[in-house]
Amino acid sequence: MSLNTFGHLFRVTTWGESHGPALGATVDGCPPGVPVDAAAIQHWLDRRKPGQSRFTTQRREPDEVEILSGVFEGQTTGTPIQLMIRNTDQRSRDYGDIAQAFRPGHADITYWQKYGIRDPRGGGRSSARETAARVAAGGVARAALGMLAPGVRITGYMVQMGPHAIDRDRFDRAEIETNPFWVPDAQAAAGWAVYLDDLRKSGNSVGAVVEVVAEGVPAGLGAPVYGKLDTDLAAAMMSINAVKGVEIGEGMAAAALTGTENADEIFMGGDGQPVFGSNHAGGILGGISTGQDIVVRFAVKPTSSILTPRRTITKSGAETEIVTKGRHDPCVGIRAVPVGEAMMACVLLDHLLLHRGQVGGAGGRIG
Amino acid sequence: MSLNTFGHLFRVTTWGESHGPALGATVDGCPPGVPVDAAAIQHWLDRRKPGQSRFTTQRREPDEVEILSGVFEGQTTGTPIQLMIRNTDQRSRDYGDIAQAFRPGHADITYWQKYGIRDPRGGGRSSARETAARVAAGGVARAALGMLAPGVRITGYMVQMGPHAIDRDRFDRAEIETNPFWVPDAQAAAGWAVYLDDLRKSGNSVGAVVEVVAEGVPAGLGAPVYGKLDTDLAAAMMSINAVKGVEIGEGMAAAALTGTENADEIFMGGDGQPVFGSNHAGGILGGISTGQDIVVRFAVKPTSSILTPRRTITKSGAETEIVTKGRHDPCVGIRAVPVGEAMMACVLLDHLLLHRGQVGGAGGRIG
Amino acid sequence: MSLNTFGHLFRVTTWGESHGPALGATVDGCPPGVPVDAAAIQHWLDRRKPGQSRFTTQRREPDEVEILSGVFEGQTTGTPIQLMIRNTDQRSRDYGDIAQAFRPGHADITYWQKYGIRDPRGGGRSSARETAARVAAGGVARAALGMLAPGVRITGYMVQMGPHAIDRDRFDRAEIETNPFWVPDAQAAAGWAVYLDDLRKSGNSVGAVVEVVAEGVPAGLGAPVYGKLDTDLAAAMMSINAVKGVEIGEGMAAAALTGTENADEIFMGGDGQPVFGSNHAGGILGGISTGQDIVVRFAVKPTSSILTPRRTITKSGAETEIVTKGRHDPCVGIRAVPVGEAMMACVLLDHLLLHRGQVGGAGGRIG
Amino acid sequence: MSLNTFGHLFRVTTWGESHGPALGATVDGCPPGVPVDAAAIQHWLDRRKPGQSRFTTQRREPDEVEILSGVFEGQTTGTPIQLMIRNTDQRSRDYGDIAQAFRPGHADITYWQKYGIRDPRGGGRSSARETAARVAAGGVARAALGMLAPGVRITGYMVQMGPHAIDRDRFDRAEIETNPFWVPDAQAAAGWAVYLDDLRKSGNSVGAVVEVVAEGVPAGLGAPVYGKLDTDLAAAMMSINAVKGVEIGEGMAAAALTGTENADEIFMGGDGQPVFGSNHAGGILGGISTGQDIVVRFAVKPTSSILTPRRTITKSGAETEIVTKGRHDPCVGIRAVPVGEAMMACVLLDHLLLHRGQVGGAGGRIG
């Protein structure tokens, strides 16, 4: 993790601002021979694309990815892969009002305090648009995982919007792709639609919790003690715009458990592999994957660009009120779902390569 | 963040196992001219040391730090600082019973699955003893902060033990140093003592939530978008043994807020600096410090070494029951408090140096 | 230095292949507020551009740089700068003959052995075209040096072509820009033109030695012991295509000196700064700049793409002869001059930022 | 390569000063299961140890290595290996005369200019004693190579002392271990002894060229374009104290060759592997190993600590003369031989792990 790059061996550098000519991801360290083309990456970008329902920003970006390097005749070559997305819908005039005043809860003020240079055209580098580049890179990671660890399956979904959490008893994976919230609970989806419509119309916004699960991850991934799998997942998720909390397995709730309750008991499975009686650990012990499902959750705060007037100051130090017009997401957590999936894919591939490099095939057998 | 090293410019590599000859931290990138000696570091180590109350492991380690390099006549020289702590109380026989079976909830099994080599003497590298090295490194970071940003004040404390959270209305910083739990609530301290005594006697353990606050942090620290201050804090805290969740400011609760509620309104202070009406952001916007208090919380799961029998398997694949004798912490979260403080100190110093290097004094003025 | 990225704080990742859609550099860590525009970078690219004399490849690439991010209204913002150069003259058919056989002395065979994937269109990633991206990044570094260390002046020139070295007694800096070889010796320039014409017509190629000097570099840059200024310069220069040797100051000739001869004696200058009686050290002692001129030389081997038949093998293991047609540089060392300058600029800026971050203004005074 | 750490996956951080309590190496990323013990590492340290002949410093350091972590029952565990060497012969009084004045050609002055703190006890961090830690780390790397690439054989030797080069026609590897110079030419050894005795008695010193060859290195190691095998070797060698030039294969002499001469022709060997007609490339093409011998040379400048008076200045700015008494190496290049071997071992292991991680077994076949 270093400034605009993340990953140890599979290294992704994202670049670009919301209203510049383009943005993208420079992906270094992808193994050779991975089948990748623009269409495969576009598939994932389309999931994140704005304007797909009335619940996301009405900004319309085709978000078409162009592969500029690193792929030859549909296969990665082992050299850096440059993924570029042109910005096309750059109505900067929408932002004229906020060029001088800082939006409360937004990075406007900290970028100014840090750099002394402020690009008033939208959020610049701090815009959620940056995450399109992550999703593109995640598409490459998924393709590589498909080749190297074909059993891995990554699924993201929302489990809470505002105060409304899903009912785990109604959890139905088949629902995820059928509603605009990627929520695995049909009843929640219906209720959330009403709730968010109200919020949207009132010019307000709301937070959310996203859960990302990776099934089929081999045991042994993760490198103690600062390159732990959960350490890297926490960093990856916390680096997403607006994220304020990250949990693995039981997460914050682990604090309330006793050792007796928390211990995931171990048994032998029919295939000579260990089987766990529960998964409080979220698939990670000591920073290393156990072979169980990897379970990560993160909380996304509400968008700070809202229509309700808020008190703020200008660059010249005057106190004022601000209202952020423009086309914003009432619940930016919705579009964070494919971003969380992408980060999971990148981190898993990175640790798969690290493990292969540092340990080879020398893991311990049981039995 | 890379395997056993963390930090960008202030780089800390910890090394050593719980029952080997020694453990320590190799600290690279500390500025020259910082007043440091063994006594200053020992001060922080003594806070973390086991055996200080009946609520922490009775293992008695003097944890005396020796500075082997990088300091000359009481000042850092700019070269690597080697901090070594000899292990002296290594009753390995305590662990004889667990040499073959894996403790549920413990890294025993994942280290075996990854490396195929298992040091049966305690937790080896995954032991909480590794955190002594972090605290030592944190002592160096604190000394450097004292020179470069003397207004910074870092305070850690427990806010929850098991199901029992503190009452924020009773929050009293003066209480923190007066009880064995570093809890800023005298009434909670009394109740927790009774609760933990019961648990301890029953051979059980429990989780906790620790909060670490840094006051006086200058605005502008943090580097978008993967070297964000909150990204690095999340990684730093998640890398601590047994941590399962990390929160900044509102944390997971941010999901339940609306944009109107979450926006920290901005006003002008008397000194020409911005003043915020609230701190839902936990002092960080867009990954960059705002000048408000930095607020981080993390959840520590209960120790997996407990006396209650749990089902497990052995290396040879046999199912069995395990009871972990030895001298363990009933609530390892207690000793995580100074560790969290140390990680905060390291991350803040690192970002102070990064900011100085990359941006210099060129931040933007308000007014 | 890591795979396709170099630099510690000023980090340059180059990407792209000779015959793909585009190539470029992702530049992370440039300070904010540096005046940069496409024209400023184009200035340096034009120096390196092929087809400027009969002594460089006749491939015609306009090499026009496009700035896709990180610059707003002519100033860097502190965020990643994406520099893209479209490939326009991609006559891949020229390379048809070499799609199966490996060129002796070329990376064809090693890329195949490593990756099992071979892009037969020119050198792919190993092509000297990659260095255009370095020159573009160097343009950014020069602009930043211009702001932060305006006294630094970087000059590259050839000092040897094939067996013909310049005569140091005729050294005339004013000559450098007047001949196609960037050689500071008019008589050498004349002789080399005749020599290289003969070689070129015979379809042969030849090596060269390039020297790069940086004047006005402040004392104190460089970080012991693996981030030394000379270590990073050696890596930077050795990473340029076809470079086989790197020297600092006396270089390999230092082996023949005695300690008495080699010691650069030190005196006090009129301005209270140390003055050295000689510069065998090339401006670097213990990996740290002395304030003298930094002097680096590197040897470039002859291009392996030649018209003289050479024995080789094909991918299917058949022995054969190969002749490389196409438009190649008879002395690729010529175009390495601006590349060496660019690497010097990047390394100096990087160490200036590192020094500022880690040491601040705390260097020692003399007197 | 970053400050006091080198390597990508096999990461070595050296620490310690010549006259502090101890020095050592923190080795992170060594694969598990490598047979290592203190005796194996001591073997290599003893080769480098001072005081073995009248041609090296008479300072007597037992240089006994202690393994503090990362090895359990004679095998590496995959966790950081701490190698510590206590300093025992620290006659700091020898250096009293040089506490105020700077030795010409020495890092005294640059450390002062950079850090403003100067440890007057010998060279501090810039002392050649730091290389003992490299040799210890190299011992671990050799053991790991022995397990993972048992065909690799690394041999270092001197090929030039002062103006006296060996005669390649007399090259006899069996001679290397029979003389105090590790020179593969018996006649040279005899002549050098006389030459160096004279120099030593006159209080002077002299430079040298060391060559290190690695046989049996698999094809495919090295990562374009900034993690090239030759890039990393150049950095590794240039980081050794007193090194001023590094060459791969033909090195600086490549400049004088034509393309026809330089092209190493390729044939098919009896075993279906390519065979090269020559090795001008030094075993590396495009930064990737060819399977031929890797050949690296580096020039070591003469020790700056000499008895001949040299003009210099003091910290207070006074001009003076200096004579460096104490026990110094008349030709520090001699002891650089095992250091060069160690760096070669570390770089090769690092790239073996990198290749395994990033590419796996997917290299291309010929035939």
Side-chain angles (χ1 to χ4, degrees):
Chain A
M1 293 284 160
S2 134
L3 312 191
N4 290 281
T5 301
F6 73 93
H8 304 273
L9 286 184
F10 182 75
R11 293 173 67 77
V12 175
T13 304
T14 66
W15 54 271
E17 290 85 40
S18 56
H19 288 70
L23 53 81
T26 310
V27 178
D28 196 11
C30 184
V34 176
V36 169
D37 59 16
I41 295 171
Q42 195 64 47
H43 170 76
W44 302 110
L45 275 171
D46 288 348
R47 276 169 65 87
R48 179 202 158 280
K49 193 165 67 173
Q52 301 199 105
S53 80
R54 67 184 183 278
F55 302 113
T56 56
T57 172
Q58 295 307 298
R59 181 174 165 156
R60 298 207 176 273
E61 293 279 1
D63 277 358
E64 276 180 22
V65 69
E66 188 179 352
I67 301 180
L68 297 180
S69 67
V71 175
F72 178 64
E73 297 184 347
Q75 279 193 310
T76 59
T77 60
T79 61
I81 301 166
Q82 185 57 262
L83 305 169
M84 181 178 67
I85 300 165
R86 289 275 180 190
N87 286 322
T88 55
D89 187 11
Q90 308 167 24
R91 296 193 217 166
S92 298
R93 61 184 179 280
D94 283 1
Y95 295 95
D97 297 342
I98 57 165
Q100 294 309 315
F102 303 112
R103 285 168 284 182
H106 194 279
D108 284 344
I109 190 168
T110 49
Y111 271 70
W112 174 251
Q113 286 172 309
K114 183 176 189 77
Y115 296 114
I117 295 251
R118 189 179 156 210
D119 179 346
R121 304 167 302 169
R125 183 75 181 141
S126 73
S127 164
R129 249 190 98 49
E130 182 269 340
T131 60
R134 301 181 187 221
V135 171
V140 175
R142 289 211 197 225
L145 284 172
M147 185 176 91
L148 299 176
V152 173
R153 181 179 172 194
I154 297 169
T155 314
Y157 42 86
M158 285 180 73
V159 295
Q160 184 181 334
M161 174 186 285
H164 307 294
I166 64 166
D167 182 339
R168 294 270 173 181
D169 291 337
R170 287 196 303 260
F171 192 105
D172 180 357
R173 168 178 296 225
E175 288 295 325
I176 295 174
E177 301 286 333
T178 68
N179 62 69
F181 307 112
W182 286 300
V183 57
D185 170 349
Q187 196 168 319
W192 293 5
V194 176
Y195 171 76
L196 197 58
D197 262 334
D198 283 352
L199 264 178
R200 185 172 57 85
K201 287 171 188 162
S202 71
N204 210 340
S205 63
V206 74
V209 177
V210 173
E211 185 166 286
V212 182
V213 173
E215 300 161 281
V217 176
L221 304 193
V225 296
Y226 303 114
K228 288 174 171 173
L229 188 53
D230 39 4
T231 296
D232 283 353
L233 284 170
M237 300 310 175
M238 192 63 95
S239 75
I240 301 172
N241 311 46
V243 171
K244 301 302 286 184
V246 181
E247 301 187 316
I248 307 290
E250 284 291 329
M252 299 305 292
L257 298 181
T258 64
T260 312
E261 292 161 344
N262 183 65
D264 299 315
E265 294 188 310
I266 317 175
F267 306 89
M268 281 306 287
D271 59 349
Q273 289 299 305
V275 170
F276 294 83
S278 50
N279 190 13
H280 298 290
I284 302 174
L285 287 173
I288 302 170
S289 63
T290 62
Q292 289 187 279
D293 289 357
I294 308 287
V295 182
V296 180
R297 271 182 311 284
F298 56 91
V300 183
K301 70 177 185 185
T303 323
S304 53
S305 299
I306 52 177
L307 286 170
T308 313
R310 297 279 89 191
R311 302 292 308 270
T312 190
I313 59 174
T314 65
K315 273 165 61 178
S316 51
E319 298 194 338
T320 183
E321 275 202 341
I322 192 167
V323 165
T324 311
K325 293 171 191 162
R327 299 153 298 166
H328 299 290
D329 285 281
C331 178
V332 77
I334 299 172
R335 287 168 60 212
V337 171
V339 182
E341 291 175 340
M343 299 309 283
M344 174 70 89
C346 290
V347 171
L348 289 180
L349 175 63
D350 190 31
H351 275 279
L352 195 73
L353 300 181
L354 262 183
H355 183 72
R356 188 163 73 156
Q358 295 201 295
V359 176
R365 297 202 170 189
I366 292 171
Chain B
M1 292 284 161
S2 135
L3 312 191
N4 290 280
T5 301
F6 73 94
H8 304 271
L9 285 185
F10 182 76
R11 293 173 67 76
V12 175
T13 306
T14 66
W15 54 270
E17 290 85 40
S18 57
H19 289 69
L23 54 81
T26 310
V27 178
D28 196 10
C30 184
V34 176
V36 169
D37 60 16
I41 295 171
Q42 196 64 46
H43 169 75
W44 302 109
L45 275 169
D46 288 349
R47 275 168 65 87
R48 180 202 157 280
K49 191 164 68 171
Q52 301 199 106
S53 79
R54 67 184 183 279
F55 302 113
T56 56
T57 172
Q58 296 306 300
R59 180 174 166 156
R60 298 207 175 273
E61 293 280 2
D63 276 358
E64 276 180 22
V65 69
E66 188 179 353
I67 301 179
L68 297 179
S69 66
V71 175
F72 178 64
E73 296 185 346
Q75 279 194 309
T76 59
T77 60
T79 60
I81 301 166
Q82 184 58 262
L83 305 168
M84 181 179 68
I85 299 164
R86 289 275 179 191
N87 286 322
T88 54
D89 186 13
Q90 310 167 23
R91 297 193 216 165
S92 299
R93 63 186 178 280
D94 282 0
Y95 295 96
D97 298 343
I98 58 166
Q100 294 309 314
F102 303 112
R103 284 167 283 183
H106 194 279
D108 284 344
I109 190 168
T110 50
Y111 270 70
W112 174 251
Q113 285 172 310
K114 182 176 190 78
Y115 296 114
I117 295 253
R118 190 178 155 210
D119 179 345
R121 304 167 302 170
R125 183 74 182 142
S126 73
S127 164
R129 250 191 96 50
E130 182 269 339
T131 60
R134 302 182 187 221
V135 172
V140 175
R142 289 212 197 224
L145 284 172
M147 185 174 92
L148 298 176
V152 173
R153 180 178 172 194
I154 297 169
T155 314
Y157 42 85
M158 286 180 73
V159 295
Q160 185 181 332
M161 174 186 284
H164 306 296
I166 63 165
D167 182 339
R168 293 271 173 181
D169 291 336
R170 286 196 304 260
F171 192 104
D172 180 358
R173 170 178 294 227
E175 287 295 324
I176 295 174
E177 301 286 334
T178 67
N179 62 70
F181 306 113
W182 286 300
V183 58
D185 171 349
Q187 197 168 317
W192 292 7
V194 175
Y195 171 75
L196 197 59
D197 262 335
D198 283 354
L199 265 178
R200 184 172 57 84
K201 286 171 189 161
S202 71
N204 210 339
S205 63
V206 75
V209 177
V210 173
E211 185 167 285
V212 182
V213 173
E215 299 161 283
V217 176
L221 305 194
V225 296
Y226 303 115
K228 287 174 171 173
L229 188 54
D230 40 4
T231 296
D232 283 353
L233 284 170
M237 300 310 175
M238 193 64 94
S239 76
I240 301 173
N241 310 47
V243 171
K244 301 303 286 184
V246 181
E247 301 186 315
I248 308 290
E250 283 292 329
M252 300 304 292
L257 298 181
T258 63
T260 312
E261 292 162 344
N262 183 65
D264 299 315
E265 293 188 309
I266 317 175
F267 305 89
M268 282 305 287
D271 59 349
Q273 288 300 304
V275 170
F276 294 83
S278 50
N279 190 12
H280 297 290
I284 302 174
L285 288 173
I288 302 171
S289 63
T290 62
Q292 289 188 280
D293 290 357
I294 309 286
V295 182
V296 180
R297 272 182 310 285
F298 56 91
V300 183
K301 70 178 185 185
T303 323
S304 53
S305 298
I306 51 176
L307 287 170
T308 313
R310 297 279 87 190
R311 303 292 308 269
T312 191
I313 60 175
T314 65
K315 273 164 58 177
S316 51
E319 297 193 339
T320 183
E321 275 201 342
I322 194 166
V323 165
T324 312
K325 292 171 191 162
R327 298 154 297 166
H328 299 291
D329 286 281
C331 178
V332 76
I334 299 172
R335 287 169 60 212
V337 172
V339 182
E341 291 175 338
M343 299 310 282
M344 174 71 88
C346 291
V347 171
L348 289 180
L349 175 62
D350 190 30
H351 275 279
L352 195 72
L353 300 181
L354 261 184
H355 183 73
R356 189 164 71 157
Q358 295 201 297
V359 177
R365 296 202 171 190
I366 293 172
Chain C
M1 294 281 162
S2 137
L3 312 192
N4 290 281
T5 302
F6 72 93
H8 304 271
L9 286 185
F10 182 77
R11 293 172 67 77
V12 175
T13 305
T14 66
W15 53 271
E17 290 85 38
S18 57
H19 290 69
L23 54 82
T26 310
V27 178
D28 196 10
C30 184
V34 176
V36 169
D37 59 17
I41 295 172
Q42 197 63 46
H43 170 76
W44 302 109
L45 274 170
D46 287 348
R47 278 167 64 86
R48 180 202 157 278
K49 192 165 68 172
Q52 301 199 104
S53 79
R54 67 184 183 276
F55 301 114
T56 55
T57 172
Q58 295 307 299
R59 180 173 166 159
R60 299 208 174 270
E61 293 279 2
D63 277 359
E64 277 181 22
V65 69
E66 188 180 353
I67 302 179
L68 297 179
S69 67
V71 175
F72 179 63
E73 297 185 344
Q75 279 194 309
T76 58
T77 61
T79 61
I81 302 166
Q82 185 57 262
L83 305 168
M84 180 178 68
I85 300 164
R86 289 273 181 193
N87 287 322
T88 54
D89 186 13
Q90 308 167 23
R91 295 191 216 167
S92 296
R93 61 184 178 279
D94 283 0
Y95 295 95
D97 299 341
I98 58 166
Q100 294 308 315
F102 302 111
R103 284 168 283 183
H106 195 277
D108 285 344
I109 191 167
T110 50
Y111 270 69
W112 174 251
Q113 286 173 310
K114 182 175 191 78
Y115 296 113
I117 295 250
R118 189 180 154 207
D119 179 345
R121 304 168 301 171
R125 182 75 180 141
S126 73
S127 164
R129 251 191 95 52
E130 182 269 339
T131 60
R134 303 182 186 219
V135 172
V140 176
R142 288 210 197 226
L145 284 172
M147 185 175 91
L148 298 175
V152 172
R153 181 178 173 193
I154 297 169
T155 314
Y157 42 86
M158 285 181 73
V159 294
Q160 185 182 332
M161 175 186 286
H164 307 295
I166 64 165
D167 182 338
R168 294 270 172 180
D169 292 336
R170 286 196 303 260
F171 192 105
D172 180 358
R173 169 178 293 225
E175 287 295 324
I176 296 174
E177 301 286 333
T178 66
N179 62 70
F181 308 113
W182 286 300
V183 57
D185 171 349
Q187 197 168 319
W192 292 6
V194 175
Y195 172 75
L196 198 59
D197 263 334
D198 282 354
L199 265 177
R200 185 172 57 86
K201 287 171 188 161
S202 71
N204 210 340
S205 63
V206 74
V209 177
V210 173
E211 185 167 284
V212 182
V213 173
E215 300 160 281
V217 176
L221 305 194
V225 296
Y226 303 115
K228 287 174 172 173
L229 188 54
D230 41 3
T231 296
D232 283 353
L233 284 170
M237 300 309 174
M238 192 63 95
S239 75
I240 301 172
N241 312 47
V243 171
K244 301 303 286 184
V246 181
E247 301 187 314
I248 308 289
E250 284 292 329
M252 300 303 292
L257 298 181
T258 63
T260 312
E261 293 162 343
N262 184 66
D264 300 315
E265 293 189 309
I266 317 176
F267 305 89
M268 283 305 287
D271 59 349
Q273 289 299 305
V275 169
F276 294 82
S278 50
N279 190 12
H280 298 291
I284 302 174
L285 287 174
I288 302 171
S289 63
T290 62
Q292 289 187 280
D293 290 356
I294 308 287
V295 182
V296 180
R297 272 183 309 285
F298 56 91
V300 184
K301 71 179 184 184
T303 325
S304 52
S305 298
I306 52 176
L307 286 170
T308 313
R310 297 278 88 189
R311 303 294 307 271
T312 190
I313 60 176
T314 64
K315 273 165 60 178
S316 52
E319 298 194 337
T320 183
E321 275 202 342
I322 192 165
V323 165
T324 313
K325 293 170 190 163
R327 299 154 296 167
H328 298 291
D329 286 280
C331 179
V332 77
I334 298 172
R335 286 169 60 213
V337 171
V339 181
E341 290 175 340
M343 299 309 283
M344 174 70 88
C346 291
V347 171
L348 289 180
L349 175 63
D350 190 32
H351 275 278
L352 195 72
L353 299 181
L354 261 184
H355 183 72
R356 188 163 72 156
Q358 294 201 297
V359 177
R365 297 203 170 188
I366 292 172
Chain D
M1 292 283 162
S2 136
L3 313 192
N4 289 281
T5 301
F6 72 94
H8 305 272
L9 286 184
F10 182 76
R11 293 173 67 77
V12 175
T13 305
T14 66
W15 53 271
E17 291 83 41
S18 57
H19 289 70
L23 53 82
T26 310
V27 178
D28 195 11
C30 184
V34 176
V36 169
D37 59 16
I41 295 172
Q42 196 64 46
H43 170 76
W44 302 110
L45 274 170
D46 287 349
R47 276 169 64 87
R48 181 202 156 279
K49 191 164 69 172
Q52 300 199 103
S53 79
R54 67 184 183 277
F55 301 113
T56 55
T57 172
Q58 294 308 297
R59 180 172 166 158
R60 299 208 174 270
E61 294 279 1
D63 277 358
E64 276 180 21
V65 68
E66 188 179 354
I67 301 179
L68 297 180
S69 67
V71 174
F72 179 64
E73 296 185 346
Q75 279 193 309
T76 58
T77 60
T79 61
I81 302 166
Q82 185 57 261
L83 305 168
M84 180 178 69
I85 300 165
R86 290 274 180 190
N87 286 322
T88 54
D89 186 13
Q90 308 167 22
R91 295 193 215 166
S92 298
R93 62 185 179 279
D94 282 0
Y95 295 95
D97 299 341
I98 58 167
Q100 295 308 315
F102 303 112
R103 285 168 283 183
H106 194 278
D108 284 344
I109 190 168
T110 50
Y111 271 70
W112 173 251
Q113 285 172 310
K114 183 176 190 77
Y115 296 114
I117 295 251
R118 190 180 154 209
D119 179 344
R121 304 167 303 170
R125 183 74 180 142
S126 73
S127 163
R129 252 191 94 52
E130 182 269 339
T131 60
R134 302 182 187 221
V135 171
V140 175
R142 289 210 197 226
L145 284 171
M147 185 174 92
L148 299 175
V152 173
R153 180 178 173 194
I154 297 169
T155 314
Y157 42 87
M158 285 180 74
V159 294
Q160 185 182 332
M161 174 185 286
H164 307 295
I166 64 165
D167 182 339
R168 293 272 172 180
D169 292 336
R170 284 196 305 260
F171 192 105
D172 181 357
R173 170 178 294 227
E175 287 295 325
I176 295 173
E177 301 286 335
T178 66
N179 62 69
F181 307 113
W182 286 299
V183 57
D185 171 349
Q187 197 168 319
W192 292 6
V194 175
Y195 172 75
L196 197 58
D197 263 335
D198 283 353
L199 264 178
R200 184 172 56 85
K201 287 171 188 162
S202 71
N204 210 340
S205 63
V206 75
V209 177
V210 173
E211 185 167 285
V212 182
V213 173
E215 300 160 282
V217 176
L221 305 193
V225 295
Y226 303 116
K228 288 174 171 173
L229 188 54
D230 39 4
T231 296
D232 283 353
L233 283 170
M237 300 310 173
M238 193 64 94
S239 75
I240 301 172
N241 312 45
V243 170
K244 301 302 286 184
V246 181
E247 302 187 314
I248 307 290
E250 284 291 330
M252 299 304 292
L257 298 181
T258 63
T260 312
E261 292 162 344
N262 183 65
D264 300 314
E265 293 188 310
I266 317 175
F267 305 89
M268 282 305 287
D271 59 350
Q273 289 300 304
V275 170
F276 294 82
S278 50
N279 190 12
H280 297 291
I284 302 174
L285 288 173
I288 303 171
S289 63
T290 62
Q292 290 187 279
D293 290 357
I294 308 286
V295 182
V296 180
R297 273 182 308 286
F298 55 92
V300 184
K301 71 178 184 184
T303 324
S304 53
S305 299
I306 51 176
L307 286 170
T308 313
R310 296 279 88 190
R311 302 294 306 270
T312 191
I313 59 175
T314 64
K315 273 165 60 177
S316 51
E319 297 195 339
T320 182
E321 275 203 342
I322 193 166
V323 165
T324 312
K325 292 170 190 164
R327 298 153 297 166
H328 299 289
D329 286 280
C331 178
V332 77
I334 299 171
R335 287 168 59 210
V337 171
V339 181
E341 291 175 339
M343 298 310 282
M344 174 70 88
C346 291
V347 171
L348 289 179
L349 175 62
D350 189 32
H351 275 278
L352 196 72
L353 300 180
L354 262 183
H355 183 73
R356 189 163 71 156
Q358 295 201 297
V359 177
R365 296 204 171 187
I366 293 172

